[in-house]
Amino acid sequence: MPLTAAHLQERLETLTSECGVPGASLAVWGEGELLEAAAGVCNLETRVPATSDTLFQIGSITKLFTATLVMQLVEEGKLDLDLPVRTVLPEFRVKDEAVAAGVTLRQLLSHTSGITGDFFKDAGRGEDRVARFVSMMAGLEQVHAPGEMFSYCNTGFVAAGRMIEVANGTTWDKAIRTRISKLLDTPAFSTLPEQAMRYQTAIGHLGAPGALMVTPIAYLAASNGPAGATPMAKARDIVTFARMMMNEGVAPNGKQVLSAESVHAMHLRNVACPKGMNIDAIGLATFMWDWDGDGHYEVFGHDGSTIGQAAWLRYHPESETALCLLTNGGNGKAMADALIREVFAEAAGIAPPELPTPDASLVLDAARYAGRYANSMEAIEVTAEGGKLVATVTPSPDYAVMSGGPKRTVLEAVNTELFLGVAPGMTLPQSWHFIGDEGGRARWLHLGVRAHRRV
C-alpha cells in the first residue's frame, strides 16, 4: 500500500463501510511526512461528517500521558517508582492492608499490583474528584498478589494520577495541559468535556455493526480521568506524542518533554504477557510487541476503549513510523488490524505476526477449564458442549450499558493454555488464556488483558 494521503483516505472509507464503523480519524507519520484521513460521521443522529480535526475519546492511550507525567516528576526527584505508594499518599487504602502498605508506583504503572482494576464509581466533578476516588478504593480486593502476574488495572492509574497531583501541587488535568500538551503544541487535547466542546467532537455508538445507537452516556466518570475516562484528542495529537517518544523525549517543535532515560524506562519490560496474547509485554504503561520474533521489543503503543469509542496507537522507533486510529463504534478492531498491517508493512517493512492456528487434534480435559471465573466487571461461565469449550460472558450490572447482555463464544484450542474465540458481532478472534493450577483446574482465565479468578 503506497503511503499517500489519497490512498489512506480511500482505505479508511472502504474499511469504515466494511467494518460498520460510524466514523474514524487516522493519522500516520511515516517517511518523514504526516498523512491524515477521516471518514464517516461524528454522530449517526446528527450526521455531521468526521474530519481530521474531530476530537475522539482516546481511552486508555491516556495511560501513556499519565506515565509521562510520573516520569517527569521522577526526574525532578518528586516521585520514586520503587517506593510504596503511601510514601506520597499516607491515606492510601485497599482491602488488603499489606498490599496498601507495600504496593509501589511501578506496580501501579505496570498492572502488576493485583488490585481490582475495573471500578468506575463516580466521585463527582469537583477538583478533588481524583482524591475522593482514591479514598473509595479502600474496599477493593485483590485479583492476585502484587508481582505474582499482571491484570489490567485502571484503578492503579487513578491512584498514580493522585500521586501526580500531590507531587506537582496541581490537579491532574492541569498537569496534563501544562507539562505535556503545552510542550507538544497540541492545545485541542482535552481532559474535560468543557474543554472538548470548543471543537468538533465524536460521540460513541453501542451495539453490533448495522444496528448501532448513540450511547446514552457520553463519558465515563471524570474521576477516572488519569486512567482514560475523559480525554479527547485529534489523531495527529497522539501521533505528535508518539514522535516525541521516538525522538528520545524531544517533541517535533524541539521542546524536551522527557529525558532519553525516562523514555527508555517506559519502553523497558516490567512484565511479559502469556504467549499468544494481543500484547507481548508491558513497560511503564507502555504496551510492547516483538513483531519479528527476534526477542527484542521494537513496536510500542497502547489501545483505548470507552463507551462506544475505541482507539489504537502503534509506533516503531527504528523506522520512525507511528499510527493512530480513532473510532466511535462498530468493529473498529478489524479496521485497526488491517490498517496497522498495511501501514507498517509499507513504511517500516514489519507487520504483526499472523494469529496462531487452532490444533484440532488436541485432546483436552474439559474439567481443567470448565467452571465460573469472575472479576468486578464480568463473570465468565465456561462449559463443555459437543466436544468444544463455550464461554458465556455476563457483565456485572454496573457495566451492562458498556457491553450489553450475555455473549456466547466458542473457543478453539491452540494449545492447552491458549484458546481463540470470536465474540458476537466481531470478525477477529480474541485470545483466551487458562493459566495457573488449582487442584488440577485452571486458576485464572485471562481475557482482554484482565485476569478472571476461578470462583
Side-chain angles (χ1 to χ4, degrees), residues 56-63 65 189-190 228 230-235 238 303-306 309-312 324 326:
F56 288 74
Q57 292 183 26
I58 65 169
S60 287
I61 291 175
T62 303
K63 290 180 172 67
F65 289 75
F189 188 102
S190 303
T230 53
M232 302 190 77
K234 303 174 184 179
I238 306 305
D303 298 346
S305 180
T306 60
Q309 301 199 48
W312 291 265
C324 178
L326 307 176

PDB file of all heavy atoms in Angstrom, residues 56-63 65 189-190 228 230-235 238 303-306 309-312 324 326:
ATOM      1  N   PHE A  56     -11.893  12.644  19.193  1.00  0.00           N
ATOM      2  CA  PHE A  56     -12.456  11.371  19.630  1.00  0.00           C
ATOM      3  C   PHE A  56     -11.918  11.080  21.025  1.00  0.00           C
ATOM      4  O   PHE A  56     -10.839  11.548  21.402  1.00  0.00           O
ATOM      5  CB  PHE A  56     -12.045  10.224  18.703  1.00  0.00           C
ATOM      6  CG  PHE A  56     -12.691  10.223  17.352  1.00  0.00           C
ATOM      7  CD1 PHE A  56     -12.309  11.141  16.380  1.00  0.00           C
ATOM      8  CD2 PHE A  56     -13.658   9.280  17.027  1.00  0.00           C
ATOM      9  CE1 PHE A  56     -12.886  11.124  15.118  1.00  0.00           C
ATOM     10  CE2 PHE A  56     -14.247   9.247  15.766  1.00  0.00           C
ATOM     11  CZ  PHE A  56     -13.867  10.170  14.812  1.00  0.00           C
ATOM     12  N   GLN A  57     -12.630  10.259  21.766  1.00  0.00           N
ATOM     13  CA  GLN A  57     -12.108   9.799  23.044  1.00  0.00           C
ATOM     14  C   GLN A  57     -10.957   8.823  22.794  1.00  0.00           C
ATOM     15  O   GLN A  57     -11.085   7.905  21.986  1.00  0.00           O
ATOM     16  CB  GLN A  57     -13.205   9.138  23.867  1.00  0.00           C
ATOM     17  CG  GLN A  57     -14.267  10.131  24.331  1.00  0.00           C
ATOM     18  CD  GLN A  57     -15.321   9.499  25.213  1.00  0.00           C
ATOM     19  OE1 GLN A  57     -15.078   8.501  25.876  1.00  0.00           O
ATOM     20  NE2 GLN A  57     -16.518  10.086  25.224  1.00  0.00           N
ATOM     21  N   ILE A  58      -9.859   9.020  23.506  1.00  0.00           N
ATOM     22  CA  ILE A  58      -8.679   8.166  23.295  1.00  0.00           C
ATOM     23  C   ILE A  58      -8.587   7.051  24.326  1.00  0.00           C
ATOM     24  O   ILE A  58      -7.721   6.181  24.231  1.00  0.00           O
ATOM     25  CB  ILE A  58      -7.385   8.985  23.294  1.00  0.00           C
ATOM     26  CG1 ILE A  58      -7.131   9.622  24.667  1.00  0.00           C
ATOM     27  CG2 ILE A  58      -7.420  10.043  22.196  1.00  0.00           C
ATOM     28  CD1 ILE A  58      -5.741  10.216  24.814  1.00  0.00           C
ATOM     29  N   GLY A  59      -9.465   7.041  25.318  1.00  0.00           N
ATOM     30  CA  GLY A  59      -9.487   5.961  26.294  1.00  0.00           C
ATOM     31  C   GLY A  59      -8.133   5.763  26.962  1.00  0.00           C
ATOM     32  O   GLY A  59      -7.455   6.716  27.370  1.00  0.00           O
ATOM     33  N   SER A  60      -7.707   4.517  27.036  1.00  0.00           N
ATOM     34  CA  SER A  60      -6.515   4.173  27.815  1.00  0.00           C
ATOM     35  C   SER A  60      -5.196   4.558  27.166  1.00  0.00           C
ATOM     36  O   SER A  60      -4.144   4.376  27.793  1.00  0.00           O
ATOM     37  CB  SER A  60      -6.524   2.675  28.138  1.00  0.00           C
ATOM     38  OG  SER A  60      -7.497   2.399  29.117  1.00  0.00           O
ATOM     39  N   ILE A  61      -5.211   5.095  25.972  1.00  0.00           N
ATOM     40  CA  ILE A  61      -3.977   5.722  25.475  1.00  0.00           C
ATOM     41  C   ILE A  61      -3.542   6.802  26.455  1.00  0.00           C
ATOM     42  O   ILE A  61      -2.351   7.112  26.588  1.00  0.00           O
ATOM     43  CB  ILE A  61      -4.185   6.285  24.050  1.00  0.00           C
ATOM     44  CG1 ILE A  61      -4.361   5.139  23.048  1.00  0.00           C
ATOM     45  CG2 ILE A  61      -3.008   7.158  23.624  1.00  0.00           C
ATOM     46  CD1 ILE A  61      -4.686   5.593  21.638  1.00  0.00           C
ATOM     47  N   THR A  62      -4.513   7.350  27.191  1.00  0.00           N
ATOM     48  CA  THR A  62      -4.241   8.330  28.242  1.00  0.00           C
ATOM     49  C   THR A  62      -3.201   7.828  29.233  1.00  0.00           C
ATOM     50  O   THR A  62      -2.429   8.617  29.799  1.00  0.00           O
ATOM     51  CB  THR A  62      -5.542   8.650  29.006  1.00  0.00           C
ATOM     52  OG1 THR A  62      -6.524   9.124  28.087  1.00  0.00           O
ATOM     53  CG2 THR A  62      -5.318   9.687  30.092  1.00  0.00           C
ATOM     54  N   LYS A  63      -3.160   6.530  29.466  1.00  0.00           N
ATOM     55  CA  LYS A  63      -2.224   5.988  30.455  1.00  0.00           C
ATOM     56  C   LYS A  63      -0.778   6.320  30.094  1.00  0.00           C
ATOM     57  O   LYS A  63       0.073   6.466  30.977  1.00  0.00           O
ATOM     58  CB  LYS A  63      -2.426   4.478  30.596  1.00  0.00           C
ATOM     59  CG  LYS A  63      -3.751   4.105  31.268  1.00  0.00           C
ATOM     60  CD  LYS A  63      -3.919   2.601  31.396  1.00  0.00           C
ATOM     61  CE  LYS A  63      -5.145   2.242  32.225  1.00  0.00           C
ATOM     62  NZ  LYS A  63      -6.412   2.603  31.597  1.00  0.00           N
ATOM     63  N   PHE A  65       0.164   9.123  28.826  1.00  0.00           N
ATOM     64  CA  PHE A  65       0.328  10.510  29.257  1.00  0.00           C
ATOM     65  C   PHE A  65       0.490  10.575  30.773  1.00  0.00           C
ATOM     66  O   PHE A  65       1.330  11.337  31.285  1.00  0.00           O
ATOM     67  CB  PHE A  65      -0.867  11.344  28.798  1.00  0.00           C
ATOM     68  CG  PHE A  65      -0.902  11.595  27.321  1.00  0.00           C
ATOM     69  CD1 PHE A  65      -1.274  10.605  26.429  1.00  0.00           C
ATOM     70  CD2 PHE A  65      -0.558  12.834  26.807  1.00  0.00           C
ATOM     71  CE1 PHE A  65      -1.306  10.829  25.063  1.00  0.00           C
ATOM     72  CE2 PHE A  65      -0.582  13.086  25.439  1.00  0.00           C
ATOM     73  CZ  PHE A  65      -0.953  12.071  24.563  1.00  0.00           C
ATOM     74  N   PHE A 189      -6.035  18.916  22.786  1.00  0.00           N
ATOM     75  CA  PHE A 189      -6.077  17.772  23.688  1.00  0.00           C
ATOM     76  C   PHE A 189      -6.856  18.179  24.933  1.00  0.00           C
ATOM     77  O   PHE A 189      -6.486  19.110  25.638  1.00  0.00           O
ATOM     78  CB  PHE A 189      -4.661  17.337  24.058  1.00  0.00           C
ATOM     79  CG  PHE A 189      -4.599  16.038  24.825  1.00  0.00           C
ATOM     80  CD1 PHE A 189      -4.237  14.872  24.191  1.00  0.00           C
ATOM     81  CD2 PHE A 189      -4.922  15.982  26.179  1.00  0.00           C
ATOM     82  CE1 PHE A 189      -4.172  13.665  24.879  1.00  0.00           C
ATOM     83  CE2 PHE A 189      -4.875  14.789  26.881  1.00  0.00           C
ATOM     84  CZ  PHE A 189      -4.501  13.627  26.231  1.00  0.00           C
ATOM     85  N   SER A 190      -7.942  17.468  25.214  1.00  0.00           N
ATOM     86  CA  SER A 190      -8.868  17.871  26.271  1.00  0.00           C
ATOM     87  C   SER A 190      -9.077  16.741  27.263  1.00  0.00           C
ATOM     88  O   SER A 190      -9.264  15.584  26.874  1.00  0.00           O
ATOM     89  CB  SER A 190     -10.225  18.260  25.668  1.00  0.00           C
ATOM     90  OG  SER A 190     -10.084  19.288  24.706  1.00  0.00           O
ATOM     91  N   GLY A 228      -8.099   7.209  31.704  1.00  0.00           N
ATOM     92  CA  GLY A 228      -8.568   7.343  30.327  1.00  0.00           C
ATOM     93  C   GLY A 228     -10.047   7.589  30.157  1.00  0.00           C
ATOM     94  O   GLY A 228     -10.562   7.483  29.046  1.00  0.00           O
ATOM     95  N   THR A 230     -11.969  10.318  30.239  1.00  0.00           N
ATOM     96  CA  THR A 230     -12.498  11.530  29.611  1.00  0.00           C
ATOM     97  C   THR A 230     -11.669  12.146  28.490  1.00  0.00           C
ATOM     98  O   THR A 230     -12.223  12.887  27.669  1.00  0.00           O
ATOM     99  CB  THR A 230     -12.713  12.614  30.686  1.00  0.00           C
ATOM    100  OG1 THR A 230     -11.490  12.780  31.427  1.00  0.00           O
ATOM    101  CG2 THR A 230     -13.832  12.219  31.635  1.00  0.00           C
ATOM    102  N   PRO A 231     -10.352  11.944  28.393  1.00  0.00           N
ATOM    103  CA  PRO A 231      -9.576  12.674  27.393  1.00  0.00           C
ATOM    104  C   PRO A 231     -10.027  12.454  25.946  1.00  0.00           C
ATOM    105  O   PRO A 231     -10.396  11.340  25.561  1.00  0.00           O
ATOM    106  CB  PRO A 231      -8.151  12.164  27.613  1.00  0.00           C
ATOM    107  CG  PRO A 231      -8.112  11.873  29.067  1.00  0.00           C
ATOM    108  CD  PRO A 231      -9.452  11.250  29.341  1.00  0.00           C
ATOM    109  N   MET A 232      -9.996  13.535  25.192  1.00  0.00           N
ATOM    110  CA  MET A 232     -10.326  13.523  23.766  1.00  0.00           C
ATOM    111  C   MET A 232      -9.204  14.235  23.015  1.00  0.00           C
ATOM    112  O   MET A 232      -8.597  15.168  23.529  1.00  0.00           O
ATOM    113  CB  MET A 232     -11.662  14.217  23.497  1.00  0.00           C
ATOM    114  CG  MET A 232     -12.846  13.628  24.243  1.00  0.00           C
ATOM    115  SD  MET A 232     -14.434  14.301  23.664  1.00  0.00           S
ATOM    116  CE  MET A 232     -14.646  13.392  22.119  1.00  0.00           C
ATOM    117  N   ALA A 233      -8.948  13.786  21.789  1.00  0.00           N
ATOM    118  CA  ALA A 233      -7.857  14.374  21.019  1.00  0.00           C
ATOM    119  C   ALA A 233      -8.066  14.143  19.537  1.00  0.00           C
ATOM    120  O   ALA A 233      -8.877  13.313  19.122  1.00  0.00           O
ATOM    121  CB  ALA A 233      -6.522  13.779  21.460  1.00  0.00           C
ATOM    122  N   LYS A 234      -7.318  14.886  18.748  1.00  0.00           N
ATOM    123  CA  LYS A 234      -7.206  14.617  17.320  1.00  0.00           C
ATOM    124  C   LYS A 234      -6.186  13.498  17.137  1.00  0.00           C
ATOM    125  O   LYS A 234      -5.244  13.366  17.929  1.00  0.00           O
ATOM    126  CB  LYS A 234      -6.742  15.869  16.580  1.00  0.00           C
ATOM    127  CG  LYS A 234      -7.630  17.082  16.776  1.00  0.00           C
ATOM    128  CD  LYS A 234      -7.016  18.324  16.125  1.00  0.00           C
ATOM    129  CE  LYS A 234      -7.863  19.566  16.409  1.00  0.00           C
ATOM    130  NZ  LYS A 234      -7.271  20.797  15.808  1.00  0.00           N
ATOM    131  N   ALA A 235      -6.346  12.718  16.090  1.00  0.00           N
ATOM    132  CA  ALA A 235      -5.399  11.638  15.846  1.00  0.00           C
ATOM    133  C   ALA A 235      -3.985  12.178  15.691  1.00  0.00           C
ATOM    134  O   ALA A 235      -3.013  11.578  16.165  1.00  0.00           O
ATOM    135  CB  ALA A 235      -5.818  10.853  14.600  1.00  0.00           C
ATOM    136  N   ILE A 238      -2.042  12.605  18.968  1.00  0.00           N
ATOM    137  CA  ILE A 238      -1.478  11.388  19.545  1.00  0.00           C
ATOM    138  C   ILE A 238      -0.218  10.980  18.782  1.00  0.00           C
ATOM    139  O   ILE A 238       0.755  10.492  19.379  1.00  0.00           O
ATOM    140  CB  ILE A 238      -2.522  10.258  19.537  1.00  0.00           C
ATOM    141  CG1 ILE A 238      -3.817  10.724  20.223  1.00  0.00           C
ATOM    142  CG2 ILE A 238      -1.978   9.018  20.225  1.00  0.00           C
ATOM    143  CD1 ILE A 238      -3.613  11.246  21.629  1.00  0.00           C
ATOM    144  N   ASP A 303      -3.767   0.665  23.408  1.00  0.00           N
ATOM    145  CA  ASP A 303      -5.137   0.701  22.890  1.00  0.00           C
ATOM    146  C   ASP A 303      -5.998   1.465  23.875  1.00  0.00           C
ATOM    147  O   ASP A 303      -5.643   1.629  25.050  1.00  0.00           O
ATOM    148  CB  ASP A 303      -5.702  -0.712  22.721  1.00  0.00           C
ATOM    149  CG  ASP A 303      -4.925  -1.549  21.721  1.00  0.00           C
ATOM    150  OD1 ASP A 303      -4.117  -0.977  20.969  1.00  0.00           O
ATOM    151  OD2 ASP A 303      -5.132  -2.772  21.697  1.00  0.00           O
ATOM    152  N   GLY A 304      -7.158   1.915  23.415  1.00  0.00           N
ATOM    153  CA  GLY A 304      -8.082   2.616  24.299  1.00  0.00           C
ATOM    154  C   GLY A 304      -9.515   2.269  23.973  1.00  0.00           C
ATOM    155  O   GLY A 304      -9.858   2.062  22.808  1.00  0.00           O
ATOM    156  N   SER A 305     -10.339   2.191  25.001  1.00  0.00           N
ATOM    157  CA  SER A 305     -11.754   1.882  24.799  1.00  0.00           C
ATOM    158  C   SER A 305     -12.576   2.584  25.861  1.00  0.00           C
ATOM    159  O   SER A 305     -12.266   2.501  27.056  1.00  0.00           O
ATOM    160  CB  SER A 305     -11.981   0.368  24.864  1.00  0.00           C
ATOM    161  OG  SER A 305     -13.348   0.057  24.670  1.00  0.00           O
ATOM    162  N   THR A 306     -13.613   3.309  25.436  1.00  0.00           N
ATOM    163  CA  THR A 306     -14.537   3.942  26.368  1.00  0.00           C
ATOM    164  C   THR A 306     -15.947   3.491  25.983  1.00  0.00           C
ATOM    165  O   THR A 306     -16.123   2.438  25.390  1.00  0.00           O
ATOM    166  CB  THR A 306     -14.411   5.474  26.330  1.00  0.00           C
ATOM    167  OG1 THR A 306     -14.697   5.936  25.001  1.00  0.00           O
ATOM    168  CG2 THR A 306     -13.008   5.923  26.728  1.00  0.00           C
ATOM    169  N   GLN A 309     -16.456   4.068  21.976  1.00  0.00           N
ATOM    170  CA  GLN A 309     -15.342   4.584  21.197  1.00  0.00           C
ATOM    171  C   GLN A 309     -14.108   3.723  21.452  1.00  0.00           C
ATOM    172  O   GLN A 309     -13.957   3.146  22.533  1.00  0.00           O
ATOM    173  CB  GLN A 309     -15.051   6.054  21.541  1.00  0.00           C
ATOM    174  CG  GLN A 309     -16.258   6.963  21.288  1.00  0.00           C
ATOM    175  CD  GLN A 309     -15.891   8.432  21.171  1.00  0.00           C
ATOM    176  OE1 GLN A 309     -14.946   8.793  20.453  1.00  0.00           O
ATOM    177  NE2 GLN A 309     -16.637   9.281  21.844  1.00  0.00           N
ATOM    178  N   ALA A 310     -13.241   3.632  20.449  1.00  0.00           N
ATOM    179  CA  ALA A 310     -12.028   2.824  20.588  1.00  0.00           C
ATOM    180  C   ALA A 310     -10.891   3.479  19.815  1.00  0.00           C
ATOM    181  O   ALA A 310     -11.116   4.143  18.795  1.00  0.00           O
ATOM    182  CB  ALA A 310     -12.264   1.398  20.086  1.00  0.00           C
ATOM    183  N   ALA A 311      -9.670   3.291  20.310  1.00  0.00           N
ATOM    184  CA  ALA A 311      -8.509   3.965  19.747  1.00  0.00           C
ATOM    185  C   ALA A 311      -7.303   3.038  19.765  1.00  0.00           C
ATOM    186  O   ALA A 311      -7.190   2.163  20.635  1.00  0.00           O
ATOM    187  CB  ALA A 311      -8.213   5.232  20.561  1.00  0.00           C
ATOM    188  N   TRP A 312      -6.382   3.272  18.818  1.00  0.00           N
ATOM    189  CA  TRP A 312      -5.165   2.460  18.716  1.00  0.00           C
ATOM    190  C   TRP A 312      -3.981   3.360  18.401  1.00  0.00           C
ATOM    191  O   TRP A 312      -4.065   4.246  17.543  1.00  0.00           O
ATOM    192  CB  TRP A 312      -5.294   1.417  17.603  1.00  0.00           C
ATOM    193  CG  TRP A 312      -6.286   0.344  17.910  1.00  0.00           C
ATOM    194  CD1 TRP A 312      -6.035  -0.884  18.453  1.00  0.00           C
ATOM    195  CD2 TRP A 312      -7.711   0.403  17.705  1.00  0.00           C
ATOM    196  NE1 TRP A 312      -7.205  -1.582  18.600  1.00  0.00           N
ATOM    197  CE2 TRP A 312      -8.248  -0.826  18.152  1.00  0.00           C
ATOM    198  CE3 TRP A 312      -8.581   1.371  17.195  1.00  0.00           C
ATOM    199  CZ2 TRP A 312      -9.609  -1.105  18.091  1.00  0.00           C
ATOM    200  CZ3 TRP A 312      -9.939   1.108  17.147  1.00  0.00           C
ATOM    201  CH2 TRP A 312     -10.444  -0.131  17.597  1.00  0.00           C
ATOM    202  N   CYS A 324      -2.032   6.382  14.507  1.00  0.00           N
ATOM    203  CA  CYS A 324      -3.117   6.499  15.485  1.00  0.00           C
ATOM    204  C   CYS A 324      -4.444   6.430  14.742  1.00  0.00           C
ATOM    205  O   CYS A 324      -4.673   7.177  13.786  1.00  0.00           O
ATOM    206  CB  CYS A 324      -3.039   7.812  16.254  1.00  0.00           C
ATOM    207  SG  CYS A 324      -4.417   8.018  17.433  1.00  0.00           S
ATOM    208  N   LEU A 326      -8.625   6.469  15.498  1.00  0.00           N
ATOM    209  CA  LEU A 326      -9.683   6.770  16.455  1.00  0.00           C
ATOM    210  C   LEU A 326     -11.024   6.434  15.825  1.00  0.00           C
ATOM    211  O   LEU A 326     -11.285   6.808  14.674  1.00  0.00           O
ATOM    212  CB  LEU A 326      -9.648   8.250  16.854  1.00  0.00           C
ATOM    213  CG  LEU A 326      -8.296   8.792  17.352  1.00  0.00           C
ATOM    214  CD1 LEU A 326      -8.394  10.289  17.615  1.00  0.00           C
ATOM    215  CD2 LEU A 326      -7.839   8.054  18.601  1.00  0.00           C
TER     216      LEU A 326
END
